[in-house]
Amino acid sequence: MKKAEVKVLLRMLNAYYDHFRAFENTLVTRYYGLHCLKLNGPAQKKVRFVIIGNLFCTNYTIHKRFDLKGSTFGRITDKPESEIDTTTTLKDLDLNFIFKLQKSWFEEFRRQVDRDCELLEQERVMDYSLLVGVNFREGNASTGYQTPSGCRTPIENGTTEAEPIHRFTKSDVDLLLLNPAGLTNTSLGINMPARVERTFRKNDLDFQLIGEPTGELYDVTLFFGIIDILQDYDITKKLEHAYKSIQCDPNSISAVDPMAYSRRFRDYIFKVFVEDN
């Protein structure tokens, strides 16, 4: 961690703690520890780091992962298509799906995103993202605690590719003996059943943020949360905003003041996440 990020975390710690006490379904990154090591040697360098919860701690394969902000400037992967795999984190302009949540989940999702953004806006932070992991299910939702066997992943030409059957490890079995529901607990942003609809952008040159729905639907399991919440709107970000505003539309860049960032973030997220009716 940068020293500036440590200062932000310590500054917002009381509000952060109260937020978690008030809203158990918060989507904000879970921090479990903040540490500093002083290395031996002439430099006496300090290394600062945090322990955080892993959003993708699951036996399901994360076939697609997206880092979503609601901006367009630089928000596309720089990898050639041949190098994109399940470990690649894609961005806003790579997103070719709309996420469809059941009514009760969608209503809770909207409420919680509003609450979380209000906290971040109050703490004067910006540049955060919604990290989304997608597991494509084969057929109907699986029952019990087992991972779907042979999940099939949609690829660009509309066909599917098979995936090897998941094998439970000894630690998985131990977890199930201690807590039979341990691998299947569902809460907001964790192990959520949903559907996605593929979208299509009419013209890549227009930097269309959200594509047109195609009617092509897939059953999925979703994992998501709000990450990178320690960027203060400091002088560096203000200068970045001023510089990039000369080059392109000010609304297309990530570096904007916390109030504008929160508003744009929510507007975008509530367009790519919709109620499944």
Side-chain angles (χ1 to χ4, degrees):
M1 294 182 72
K2 298 175 183 176
K3 188 176 181 179
E5 293 174 321
V6 172
K7 288 182 177 180
V8 172
L9 180 54
L10 292 176
R11 184 192 72 202
M12 66 183 290
L13 192 56
N14 285 340
Y16 175 88
Y17 175 78
D18 291 342
H19 188 77
F20 270 78
R21 290 293 300 269
F23 307 113
E24 62 179 13
N25 280 335
T26 178
L27 298 173
V28 171
T29 299
R30 282 168 164 74
Y31 292 109
Y32 294 106
L34 170 63
H35 306 274
C36 179
L37 293 177
K38 191 173 184 179
L39 304 183
N40 291 328
Q44 295 286 300
K45 182 180 178 181
K46 289 183 178 180
V47 178
R48 302 169 180 86
F49 62 95
V50 284
I51 310 298
I52 65 174
N54 180 5
L55 272 178
F56 300 153
C57 184
T58 173
N59 285 293
Y60 289 101
T61 299
I62 303 298
H63 297 112
K64 294 274 189 182
R65 56 191 74 202
F66 297 96
D67 181 282
L68 306 175
K69 293 186 177 184
S71 56
T72 57
F73 186 78
R75 299 298 295 161
I76 190 167
T77 184
D78 54 5
K79 282 188 176 183
E81 192 171 335
S82 59
E83 294 181 15
I84 294 176
D85 57 23
T86 56
T87 65
T88 303
T89 300
L90 303 169
K91 301 179 183 179
D92 302 67
L93 292 176
D94 301 306
L95 181 64
N96 57 345
F97 297 103
I98 290 175
F99 304 101
K100 293 175 170 281
L101 305 181
Q102 297 170 11
K103 181 178 180 180
S104 58
W105 281 123
F106 178 69
E107 290 173 349
E108 176 60 23
F109 174 74
R110 284 193 66 110
R111 284 193 296 268
Q112 195 57 56
V113 169
D114 281 337
R115 293 165 181 155
D116 291 343
C117 285
E118 286 166 7
L119 168 72
L120 300 175
E121 186 179 327
Q122 168 192 312
E123 295 303 317
R124 300 289 296 167
V125 296
M126 38 74 70
D127 220 15
Y128 44 87
S129 310
L130 187 73
L131 182 64
V132 183
V134 186
N135 166 267
F136 290 92
R137 304 201 304 265
E138 182 180 17
N140 295 322
S142 59
T143 56
Y145 56 76
Q146 292 193 16
T147 301
S149 59
C151 178
R152 302 175 71 82
T153 307
I155 54 179
E156 292 307 315
N157 61 8
T159 60
T160 57
E161 56 184 10
E163 180 182 273
I165 296 175
H166 170 83
R167 305 293 182 187
F168 279 96
T169 65
K170 183 179 183 299
S171 60
D172 294 335
V173 175
D174 290 343
L175 175 60
L176 287 170
L177 290 173
L178 291 170
N179 177 15
L183 296 181
T184 56
N185 284 343
T186 298
S187 59
L188 188 65
I190 300 175
N191 198 35
M192 284 186 58
R195 295 198 300 171
V196 295
E197 182 174 3
R198 187 183 286 277
T199 60
F200 174 75
R201 288 181 176 82
K202 293 179 179 178
N203 190 339
D204 291 340
L205 297 178
D206 289 339
F207 292 108
Q208 184 181 4
L209 193 53
I210 302 171
E212 302 295 327
T214 64
E216 185 179 335
L217 297 166
Y218 296 92
D219 291 325
V220 297
T221 302
L222 296 180
F223 301 82
F224 52 81
I226 298 174
I227 64 167
D228 297 338
I229 65 167
L230 300 179
Q231 178 57 61
D232 205 4
Y233 192 55
D234 55 17
I235 186 63
T236 303
K237 285 296 178 180
K238 290 175 182 177
L239 289 172
E240 180 185 338
H241 174 80
Y243 174 71
K244 289 183 177 178
S245 295
I246 300 171
Q247 298 176 304
C248 59
D249 179 0
N251 293 320
S252 71
I253 60 180
S254 294
V256 295
D257 76 81
M259 185 178 295
Y261 192 95
S262 171
R263 182 173 59 249
R264 183 182 64 190
F265 178 81
R266 282 186 266 188
D267 286 346
Y268 172 64
I269 293 302
F270 295 150
K271 289 176 183 174
V272 295
F273 280 78
V274 299
E275 183 181 333
D276 191 355
N277 51 19

